[in-house]
Amino acid sequence: FLRGAAPTNVQVAAIRLACSLGLPSTREAVVALSEEGPGPVRIEALCGALSGELTDELAVRVCHVCRGAFSAGSGEVRSRAWMALAAALQNKHLPSDAFRSHLQLCVLEYARKNMAAVERSAAVTALSEAFVNFPESDLQALVDSGALEAVASCSEDYSPSNSGIVARAFMRAMPFGGTSLLADSLKAWLLDERTILRRLAATVIGSDSCTMEGVQRLLDTGLLKALLAVPRGPQKEVQEKRTGRLTWTQMQKLAKEKADRDERDRQVAREAARAAVQAVKVGSKEQTEAAIICDAADWLCTALEAEIQSLGKARSRQRSAEELQKWQDRYGDSDDEMHHSYDLSEHKAEAGEAEETFLQIGEAIDSMLRIGGEPEQTMIRAFQSVRGLRAELRSMTHTLKGTAAQKLSGQLLKKLLDKQSQKQLQQVRCEKCTANPKTCYSCEGSGVTKCKACHATGKAKNQCRNCNGTGVQQSDGAGCSKCRGKGSFQSQCRKCNGGGQWPCPKCGGAGTVFCRACEALRRKTHGQAKLGKEPKPGISIAKCSAADLQMMQKLWTDRGGTGKIVAAWTVDNPLLAWRQRQFVQEYKVACQRDPDQIQGYHGTGDCNVMSIVESGFDAGKRSGQAFGAGEYFAKNPEVSKSYAGAGSYMLVCSLALGTQASSQELGDGDHIWADGPKYYVIANPGQVVPQFILRWRPFPDPRPAISDAREARLDYALSQAKASTVEEEVKEVPPNRPAEMTADATDALWIGYLNPQLSDSQLEEDLKGLLQGRLPTELLGKWRLQIVRGRYTQAKVRLGGMIPREDVLKLCSDTFKEGGEGGKERTITVDDAHGSPEQKCPRTIAMYCRGRNLRFVDPCWCQHEARLTDLANFDLQPLEINSAKGDELVSNFMKSGPFHNGTPKVVEINSIENPVLSQLHERYKSYLRNKNGEEPRIVDLYHGTNNKILEDVYTHGLRPPSDTRPSESCSLSGGKGLCTTLCDNNCPECKDRHLWDKCHMFGLGNYLADLAAKSHRYCSEPVISGSRNRYRMIACSVATGKVLELEGHLKEGSGMHDVFSVRGLWTGDLEALVKPTTAEKKAKASPTVKCCEGLPVERHDLLFVKGLGNASKPGFSVHNSEYISFHPYQCLPRYEIVYEI
C-alpha cells in the first residue's frame, strides 16, 4: 500500500499503522511518500517519518521536506509540520548534525521574521527542544549560531504551554556563553509586568547558581543582584474606584485573579531565595561576600520566615488529615478511607518539602555565620530587620520536637542571639570613645589576628605519615604514592580553619578597645543589683491612698471576695523586703530567670497581725499543714476569712515563687500550688513580705472593749496617720557641682543641692530671698518656684521669660542663706534646667533622662549615655497554665471577657526573660526605695499594642513617646506609620512638633490597664490561625511607688496632651485642667486630684486615671481605669499572653 497506487485514505491508514508498529523496513517508503505523495498523504508521511529514528540519509531528506512544508503548505499543514519537528527533537529522532546543517537556518528565519504568532511560537519551541535534547558537544555551536538570541527575542510569544521548555533551554545554554547573551533580556524580564516573564527569568537565574562557576557568571553579569532586587513577596495593589456594586461572581473572580497573581509573585520570590541559598552554599568565600553585597542575607532571613510559616501550615494540614484518617478508620467505609489516605500522603509530602527547604535555607545562614567578618555582621543585621523571625524560630524549637528542623532552628537561634549580643556589646561606649574610639594596640585597628601557623595563607604543610617525610616508601624504595615523593602535602590549616586569620581576641574583631568608663557602662547591664546592707528591724503602717484602695478592692473582687473592703493600710517592713530581695537574687543566679511574683491572702486572729508584720512568719508556729510544710496563703479571700476566726483583719502578702515542688516534701522546689482549694504553700518565710492590712468586717456597734494587749497595739497603730518604728536615714547635702551653662539664655533654672532636713516652705522662702532682686525686673511676678525631692533635694524655677547666661552664673557666686534667721550662709549652684551639650546629664533618673527625646516641651540638651537596652536580648520561656502564676494570669485575663470582638481562649503563656531590662527595672525600684523611703509595690497591668513590634518592646521595654513627629526621610522612624518619632532630640531629620490628634489624652506616657478587655482594643496585627485570630498581650510588672489618682473630666480634649511626666507638673496644673464629674461633687468640693499622704503632685511616680463608667465623656474621660507611666524602666514586660478569638 505504501509503494503502490492506492486510495488516499488507505495510504494514510497504512502510514499510521507502519509508524505505530515502528517497522524499520517501511521507513524509506514513508519518507518517499512525504516527498512525492498527494497533499494529505505527504503531511501524514512527514509526521510519521519524524515519529521514529532516522538514519543520516533519511534525516537529510526529511529536513528538506520540512522546509517545503513550512513555506508552501497550508496553515494546518505548517502547524502539523512544526509539531512533528518539535516532537522529533524532543524524542531525539532527528540527528543533531542533520538539523544544524539543513534545517536550523530555516527555523531561525521563522523565529526572527515578522511571521504569524503561531509560527513564531512553533519555531521558538523547536529551537528550545534542540537546546534541551542536543548533546553538550553541539550546544556551543548552537549558541554561536544565534539561536539563543532568536528565542529570547520572541518573548512576547511566551505562554504557559511553551515557557517551561524555553526555561529549560536557557538553563542548558547558560554554561556555554548563554549567561552573557541573555543578561540584558533576563534583567528586563525581571522588571516586566507579565508574571510569566518574571518567573521564567527567576527560574533561569536560580538554576545557574547551583555551581561555583554559575555563581561567578551571575556575579559577573549582575544577574544575581538583579534577581535579589525583586520584591520579596506579593505586593499591595492600589484598588481602583469602581462605580456600582459588584456581584458575588465578580468578587469571586477578582479574588481568584489576585490569589493567582500573589501565588506567581511568591514563586518568583521562592526562586530568588533559592538562588541566594545556592550562592551561599556552593560559592567560595569571595563569592559569598559578593552575594552579600547583593542583599543575599536579607533574602535568606525573609525566605526563612516564609518557609517557617509554610511548614507550620503544612504541619497543621497534615495533623488535620491524620485526625480525619483516624476518624475514617473507625467510622468510615473503604472508599472514603482511600480518599483520605490519598489526602494524607499529599499533606505529608507537602510538609516534607517545606521542611527540606527550611533546612537548606537554615544551613546557608549557618554557613554565613561560620565565615565571620562582614558576612556574619550582615547576617545579624538582616536577622534583626525581619520582624517576627526570632519568635518564629523560637516557636519551631517548642513545636517540632524531635525533628531536624527543630534542632536546626534551636542552633540558629542560639548562634544569632549570641552574635547579636556580642555586636551590641561592642557598640556601648562612653561619650569620649564614641567620638574618638581607641585603636586596639594588638591588631593595630584591623580587627583580625593573622595565623602564625600557616603564615596567613590558610594552608598548612604537613609531613606525610606514610613515608615519614622521606618521600620514599620503606617497603620497596619507590616514590611515596600519597605525597608523590614530596615528603609532605598541603591541607587546610586546623588552627584558623583555612581562613588565615581570626578575630582579634583583645578587641573582639572591632579594631577598637574600651576605656574604664566604657567598661563601667557595660557592667551596669550585666552585673547583679547591689543588695545593700541588711536594714535594722522596724515597720511603717499608713492609711492606704485612694489609688491603692481601688487596687485592693479590685483584687478582692477578682479573686472572688464578697462585699467591700471596709479599710486598708499599707505596711512597709524594710528588713523583710530585703530578705525577699535576697531570695530573688539567689534564685536568679541559680536558675537564670526571675521568680514569679504573686499576692496571697492570709487570715489569722487579730492578736497575731502585729507580730507577723513586724517579724514575718515563724516556721516554728505552723499548724495543720494538710498540703505540706510551709506558710499557707489563699487565692480567694473567702477562704482566708475562715482562718480569721472572730477577727476583722486580713493580710495581703507578696509571694516570690521560684520552682514548684513535685511533692509535699518540698524537696525539689520552694512552693506548692494546691489547685483544688487554691492554696499557695511557701517553704521559706523569706519569700513572703506583708504589704497590706485589710479590715473586711465592720466593727459591731457598740464596739466591745479590747482586752488583749496585742490587739490593742494593732488598734493603736491603725488609728495613727502613720505609725513608724523605722529609723530615718539622715541625708547630707552633697557638694555643689559646677554650673556648665553654655546657651546664651534660658527660661528655666535648676538650683541645688538643698538641705533635705528643711521643710518645703522654709526652702522656698530661702530661695525667694536669693532670687528676688537678682532676676530681671521684667520677670517680676512671672516666675514660679518648686522644691523637688528625690535622691537629692533640689529646686526648679519656671521664669516666664528669658534670662542671659551672665545673670545665671552670677547667682552661683551670690550668698545663699539657708534655714531662715540664724541659718547657714553658703553658695549654691544655679544652672540651665535644659542642660548644655557638653554637660553630663544631671536629670537622669534610674539610668534614663525623660528630656532626651523631647524637643519642644521640656528638652534636655546634655550628653546622654548609650541606651543600655541596646545590649539587651530576650528569651521566651513557656509557663505552665496550670501553675500558680499561670492560673492567676488566666483567671484575671478571663474575668473581663468577652471582648468587643469575641470570647478569648488563652492558648499559651510565656515568661519574658530579659536580664538587662530586669536589671534596669531593679535600678528603678531602688530609686523609688531611696526616694520614698519605703519598698515599692509591684502590680501586674496589661499593655496592648501592635503585635508586630512586640520584639522591640521585649528588648527595649515600654519607651515613653516623644513630642516630635517622625520624618519620612528618617532611617529609624520614617515609613513606619508612627505618630511620634523613635529618635532622640538630636535627630537631624525629625524636627516637626507632634500635635494633638485625639491621642495621648493624659500625657506622653505608656498606657496600661487593669482590665484585659481594655488593652485588647489596642492589640492589632494578629496572626490568622485557621478560622481564628491569634493575639498577644503583655502583662507588665509595674513598680507603682506613689500613685496620683485623677477623677474627673478634662476641660479640653488636648489639655493634658503635652504632660511629659508627673514630675513635670506644678502645683495647681492638674486642677486647672480637670473638672469634677458632676455638679453635686463640685458643690461638695470633692477633689479631682487625690494625692498620697498630702504630698505635692510632682512627688508622685505613677498617674492613675479612674474610670467613670457610664458617667464618662468620650474624649474627656475614660470608661475603664488606666495607668500612665512616664519612665521606661518602671514597667517590666513580664509575661506574654497568647490567646485566640
Side-chain angles (χ1 to χ4, degrees):
F1 288 116
L2 295 175
R3 292 175 180 169
T8 301
N9 58 343
V10 175
Q11 285 189 330
V12 169
I15 292 171
R16 292 177 179 174
L17 180 59
C19 294
S20 64
L21 294 175
L23 301 174
S25 59
T26 63
R27 189 74 60 195
E28 184 175 356
V30 171
V31 172
L33 280 177
S34 68
E35 293 173 332
E36 300 177 356
V41 175
R42 292 181 65 181
I43 186 61
E44 192 67 39
L46 176 61
C47 294
L50 289 172
S51 66
E53 295 185 3
L54 298 169
T55 63
D56 293 341
E57 181 183 354
L58 292 178
V60 173
R61 293 168 60 186
V62 169
C63 288
H64 289 294
V65 174
C66 284
R67 294 176 63 177
F70 294 158
S71 60
S74 62
E76 182 181 356
V77 171
R78 290 199 302 271
S79 177
R80 292 191 64 186
W82 281 115
M83 292 174 61
L85 176 61
L89 292 170
Q90 180 180 2
N91 297 318
K92 301 181 181 179
H93 292 159
L94 188 64
S96 59
D97 292 339
F99 176 82
R100 286 192 294 105
S101 302
H102 303 282
L103 197 57
Q104 180 176 323
L105 291 177
C106 176
V107 176
L108 283 174
E109 290 176 1
Y110 277 91
R112 289 170 176 168
K113 283 185 177 180
N114 189 16
M115 306 294 288
V118 176
E119 294 185 353
R120 198 165 56 241
S121 177
V124 167
T125 304
L127 287 174
S128 300
E129 291 289 359
F131 272 107
V132 172
N133 297 289
F134 278 11
E136 289 189 0
S137 57
D138 295 336
L139 288 181
Q140 188 62 56
L142 195 60
V143 171
D144 294 340
S145 67
L148 199 62
E149 295 98 314
V151 175
S153 65
C154 300
S155 60
E156 65 271 11
D157 298 320
Y158 296 164
S159 63
S161 61
N162 67 0
S163 61
I165 188 64
V166 170
R168 292 198 297 273
F170 287 162
M171 293 178 196
R172 199 133 188 266
M174 294 292 265
F176 301 94
T179 306
S180 57
L181 294 175
L182 293 173
D184 294 337
S185 298
L186 291 175
K187 291 177 183 178
W189 294 347
L190 287 173
L191 303 176
D192 199 280
E193 294 182 357
R194 295 178 61 193
T195 310
I196 189 172
L197 290 181
R198 295 203 305 273
R199 184 181 176 188
L200 186 147
T203 304
V204 173
I205 298 172
S207 68
D208 206 27
S209 63
C210 297
T211 62
M212 188 179 298
E213 295 77 10
V215 173
Q216 190 60 47
R217 288 193 296 269
L218 295 180
L219 290 172
D220 293 340
T221 56
L223 283 175
L224 184 62
K225 183 176 182 180
L227 177 61
L228 298 184
V230 302
R232 300 178 191 171
Q235 300 299 298
K236 292 184 178 180
E237 299 178 355
V238 180
Q239 296 183 353
E240 298 179 358
K241 293 185 178 180
R242 297 185 177 92
T243 58
R245 299 179 63 182
L246 296 175
T247 64
W248 175 253
T249 305
Q250 290 173 327
M251 287 190 293
Q252 281 187 318
K253 183 179 178 182
L254 290 174
K256 186 177 184 304
E257 290 176 355
K258 185 179 185 306
D260 292 342
R261 286 194 301 271
D262 290 350
E263 180 58 29
R264 289 193 292 267
D265 288 341
R266 289 190 189 95
Q267 291 173 354
V268 173
R270 197 173 292 119
E271 290 295 337
R274 186 167 72 91
V277 171
Q278 295 297 336
V280 172
K281 288 182 66 176
V282 306
S284 63
K285 181 179 179 182
E286 293 76 14
Q287 290 174 339
T288 302
E289 292 176 349
I292 288 172
I293 299 175
C294 303
D295 295 333
D298 296 323
W299 263 104
L300 289 176
C301 289
T302 304
L304 187 69
E305 182 190 26
E307 289 305 323
I308 290 174
Q309 295 175 356
S310 299
L311 179 58
K313 292 177 182 178
R315 290 276 186 177
S316 177
R317 287 191 288 267
Q318 179 183 342
R319 287 193 295 269
S320 300
E322 288 173 349
E323 292 296 327
L324 284 173
Q325 182 70 51
K326 291 179 182 178
W327 186 90
Q328 189 63 41
D329 291 342
R330 181 175 297 182
Y331 304 107
D333 55 32
S334 58
D335 293 338
D336 289 340
E337 182 178 353
M338 291 174 60
H339 173 70
H340 287 305
S341 297
Y342 176 74
D343 288 344
L344 180 57
S345 63
E346 278 190 346
H347 293 312
K348 284 184 176 179
E350 182 185 4
E353 182 181 356
E355 183 173 0
E356 182 64 27
T357 307
F358 168 80
L359 292 175
Q360 291 178 0
I361 299 173
E363 290 170 0
I365 294 176
D366 189 44
S367 64
M368 285 185 67
L369 293 176
R370 287 198 301 268
I371 293 175
E374 185 59 30
E376 176 188 285
Q377 299 302 323
T378 308
M379 192 72 249
I380 295 172
R381 287 195 294 270
F383 172 69
Q384 291 174 319
S385 65
V386 179
R387 292 186 182 276
L389 179 56
R390 184 178 354 191
E392 296 285 357
L393 281 174
R394 187 175 290 105
S395 177
M396 290 273 288
T397 60
H398 296 312
T399 55
L400 302 178
K401 295 184 177 179
T403 62
Q406 185 244 359
K407 182 179 179 181
L408 180 62
S409 60
Q411 292 174 350
L412 278 181
L413 185 63
K414 185 177 185 303
K415 281 187 178 181
L416 287 167
L417 291 179
D418 290 345
K419 299 290 185 183
Q420 180 182 348
S421 179
Q422 294 173 9
K423 178 186 174 185
Q424 291 170 337
L425 199 61
Q426 294 292 339
Q427 295 174 346
V428 176
R429 300 179 180 275
C430 66
E431 293 292 336
K432 290 183 179 179
C433 290
T434 301
N436 187 19
K438 292 185 177 181
T439 303
C440 175
Y441 60 86
S442 179
C443 64
E444 297 180 351
S446 64
V448 295
T449 299
K450 294 182 179 180
C451 178
K452 296 181 180 178
C454 64
H455 303 286
T457 62
K459 295 181 180 180
K461 190 175 182 181
N462 300 315
Q463 179 179 315
C464 178
R465 295 182 181 180
N466 189 42
C467 62
N468 294 325
T470 61
V472 180
Q473 293 184 1
Q474 297 179 359
S475 58
D476 54 4
C480 179
S481 59
K482 288 195 174 181
C483 65
R484 297 180 181 180
K486 296 180 180 179
S488 62
F489 56 89
Q490 283 189 337
S491 64
Q492 179 176 294
C493 178
R494 296 181 180 180
K495 192 170 184 180
C496 62
N497 292 325
Q501 59 188 25
W502 56 79
C504 173
K506 182 66 178 178
C507 63
T512 56
V513 293
F514 299 96
C515 67
R516 293 182 179 179
C518 298
E519 294 292 347
L521 191 61
R522 287 147 59 97
R523 285 194 297 270
K524 289 180 181 179
T525 60
H526 288 76
Q528 287 288 340
K530 293 182 179 179
L531 189 59
K533 185 180 178 182
E534 181 176 352
K536 296 180 180 179
I539 61 168
S540 296
I541 300 176
K543 193 80 171 179
C544 266
S545 65
D548 286 338
L549 184 59
Q550 180 91 0
M551 285 190 285
M552 284 295 100
Q553 183 60 57
K554 186 179 185 306
L555 180 68
W556 180 278
T557 305
D558 290 346
R559 295 282 189 90
T562 58
K564 289 190 175 183
I565 299 174
V566 178
W569 294 263
T570 61
V571 178
D572 179 50
N573 190 319
L575 178 59
L576 297 183
W578 183 88
R579 291 174 179 171
Q580 188 186 59
R581 294 201 307 275
Q582 184 181 40
F583 167 82
V584 169
Q585 194 170 101
E586 291 173 353
Y587 181 83
K588 288 173 68 174
V589 172
C591 302
Q592 296 299 309
R593 63 176 293 266
D594 289 322
D596 299 316
Q597 297 278 346
I598 206 168
Q599 288 180 309
Y601 291 96
H602 184 81
T604 184
D606 293 354
C607 58
N608 300 324
V609 172
M610 281 300 292
S611 63
I612 292 176
V613 299
E614 286 179 335
S615 306
F617 288 86
D618 188 351
K621 296 181 179 179
R622 296 171 179 172
S623 61
Q625 312 293 292
F627 296 94
E631 313 300 337
Y632 279 62
F633 302 87
K635 179 181 178 181
N636 191 331
E638 296 298 319
V639 176
S640 297
K641 284 182 180 180
S642 60
Y643 291 89
S648 304
Y649 297 99
M650 189 183 300
L651 293 174
V652 178
C653 301
S654 169
L655 314 177
L657 308 182
T659 305
Q660 182 171 331
S662 58
S663 64
Q664 295 186 4
E665 285 74 20
L666 288 168
D668 56 351
D670 51 51
H671 73 278
I672 297 172
W673 164 238
D675 194 17
K678 306 294 183 184
Y679 285 165
Y680 310 112
V681 183
I682 307 301
N684 181 5
Q687 298 173 239
V688 184
V689 178
Q691 287 188 321
F692 295 93
I693 301 174
L694 306 183
R695 180 150 66 87
W696 56 273
R697 177 161 44 196
F699 293 133
D701 190 19
R703 183 184 179 187
I706 300 176
S707 57
D708 193 313
R710 294 172 295 179
E711 294 184 20
R713 285 184 60 222
L714 173 65
D715 187 67
Y716 175 78
L718 300 184
S719 64
Q720 305 297 311
K722 183 175 182 179
S724 177
T725 59
V726 179
E727 293 184 8
E728 293 187 5
E729 180 183 358
V730 179
K731 296 183 179 180
E732 298 182 355
V733 182
N736 293 337
R737 64 171 178 82
E740 302 184 39
M741 178 179 177
T742 58
D744 294 334
T746 183
D747 60 353
L749 298 179
W750 176 92
I751 304 177
Y753 296 102
L754 304 174
N755 189 345
Q757 311 303 327
L758 299 178
S759 64
D760 287 2
S761 57
Q762 181 62 60
L763 290 175
E764 287 181 4
E765 183 180 348
D766 296 340
L767 289 173
K768 288 179 181 178
L770 173 68
L771 298 176
Q772 286 176 350
R774 292 181 173 87
L775 294 179
T777 55
E778 59 268 18
L779 300 180
L780 188 63
K782 295 182 180 180
W783 58 274
R784 296 180 61 186
L785 172 68
Q786 185 160 299
I787 305 300
V788 180
R789 292 183 184 268
R791 182 180 180 184
Y792 304 116
T793 304
Q794 312 153 47
K796 57 183 180 181
V797 182
R798 186 188 296 173
L799 295 173
M802 302 300 292
I803 180 174
R805 181 166 62 95
E806 293 75 13
D807 292 352
V808 174
L809 298 180
K810 186 176 182 301
L811 289 171
C812 298
S813 59
D814 291 339
T815 302
F816 170 62
K817 190 173 184 179
E818 191 175 38
E821 294 296 331
K824 181 180 178 181
E825 292 186 355
R826 62 185 180 95
T827 58
I828 197 169
T829 302
V830 183
D831 206 349
D832 185 358
H834 299 306
S836 302
E838 301 298 327
Q839 179 184 8
K840 184 179 179 181
C841 181
R843 295 170 55 176
T844 298
I845 295 176
M847 307 297 295
Y848 178 77
C849 172
R850 181 65 183 96
R852 69 183 299 169
N853 70 341
L854 299 176
R855 187 182 287 267
F856 302 96
V857 181
D858 187 19
C860 179
W861 307 112
C862 298
Q863 287 184 354
H864 296 101
E865 294 179 342
R867 296 182 189 273
L868 297 182
T869 52
D870 290 341
L871 291 173
N873 281 315
F874 72 91
D875 189 21
L876 296 180
Q877 298 291 338
L879 180 69
E880 290 291 336
I881 294 181
N882 296 326
S883 64
K885 188 63 182 181
D887 177 82
E888 170 76 4
L889 290 170
V890 172
S891 59
N892 287 349
F893 185 86
M894 298 300 296
K895 284 286 184 183
S896 60
F899 295 167
H900 69 280
N901 60 343
T903 301
K905 177 185 177 182
V906 178
V907 296
E908 185 181 344
I909 298 178
N910 297 310
S911 173
I912 306 168
E913 302 298 332
N914 186 329
V916 174
L917 202 56
S918 176
Q919 177 75 6
L920 295 170
H921 181 63
E922 290 296 326
R923 287 181 177 273
Y924 184 81
K925 288 165 62 177
S926 177
Y927 158 76
L928 290 181
R929 194 177 299 117
N930 294 330
K931 168 182 169 289
N932 299 327
E934 62 183 21
E935 188 70 20
R937 286 175 290 279
I938 305 298
V939 60
D940 288 341
L941 298 174
Y942 300 107
H943 181 76
T945 186
N946 186 327
N947 282 185
K948 288 189 175 180
I949 66 169
L950 287 180
E951 290 190 3
D952 291 339
V953 176
Y954 299 161
T955 304
H956 301 286
L958 299 177
R959 291 178 285 188
S962 172
D963 61 350
T964 310
R965 288 194 302 111
S967 171
E968 289 301 319
S969 59
C970 178
S971 59
L972 177 62
S973 306
K976 296 183 178 180
L978 302 174
C979 63
T980 59
T981 181
L982 299 175
C983 307
D984 289 343
N985 53 20
N986 56 0
C987 176
E989 304 291 340
C990 304
K991 297 181 179 180
D992 297 332
R993 183 165 186 168
H994 165 65
L995 302 176
W996 178 73
D997 186 21
K998 297 182 180 179
C999 59
H1000 305 112
M1001 184 188 298
F1002 295 100
L1004 300 170
N1006 300 316
Y1007 286 70
L1008 305 107
D1010 52 12
L1011 281 178
K1014 181 180 179 71
S1015 293
H1016 171 69
R1017 291 183 174 272
Y1018 300 91
C1019 291
S1020 60
E1021 299 292 341
V1023 175
I1024 299 176
S1025 177
S1027 60
R1028 299 168 70 86
N1029 289 332
R1030 177 168 289 196
Y1031 295 87
R1032 293 186 289 168
M1033 186 185 296
I1034 311 172
C1036 298
S1037 295
V1038 183
T1040 58
K1042 299 296 184 182
V1043 183
L1044 176 67
E1045 181 177 338
L1046 194 64
E1047 181 182 6
H1049 305 294
L1050 293 175
K1051 294 181 179 179
E1052 295 182 6
S1054 60
M1056 290 186 64
H1057 176 265
D1058 289 337
V1059 173
F1060 62 91
S1061 173
V1062 177
R1063 292 176 63 89
L1065 293 169
W1066 292 61
T1067 304
D1069 283 356
L1070 279 182
E1071 289 80 358
L1073 299 173
V1074 183
K1075 61 183 178 181
T1077 54
T1078 62
E1080 180 182 356
K1081 286 194 173 185
K1082 186 175 181 180
K1084 294 181 179 179
S1086 177
T1088 58
V1089 181
K1090 301 177 182 179
C1091 300
C1092 285
E1093 305 169 6
L1095 293 174
V1097 170
E1098 68 89 17
R1099 292 193 197 170
H1100 292 76
D1101 309 298
L1102 186 69
L1103 179 60
F1104 169 65
V1105 181
K1106 186 175 181 180
L1108 303 181
N1110 294 332
S1112 63
K1113 296 180 181 180
F1116 298 91
S1117 51
V1118 292
H1119 186 276
N1120 296 312
S1121 301
E1122 60 187 22
Y1123 297 78
I1124 299 94
S1125 165
F1126 299 94
H1127 196 287
Y1129 309 140
Q1130 186 173 14
C1131 312
L1132 176 66
R1134 193 66 183 86
Y1135 302 97
E1136 177 189 70
I1137 303 175
V1138 185
Y1139 59 99
E1140 292 181 350
I1141 293 182

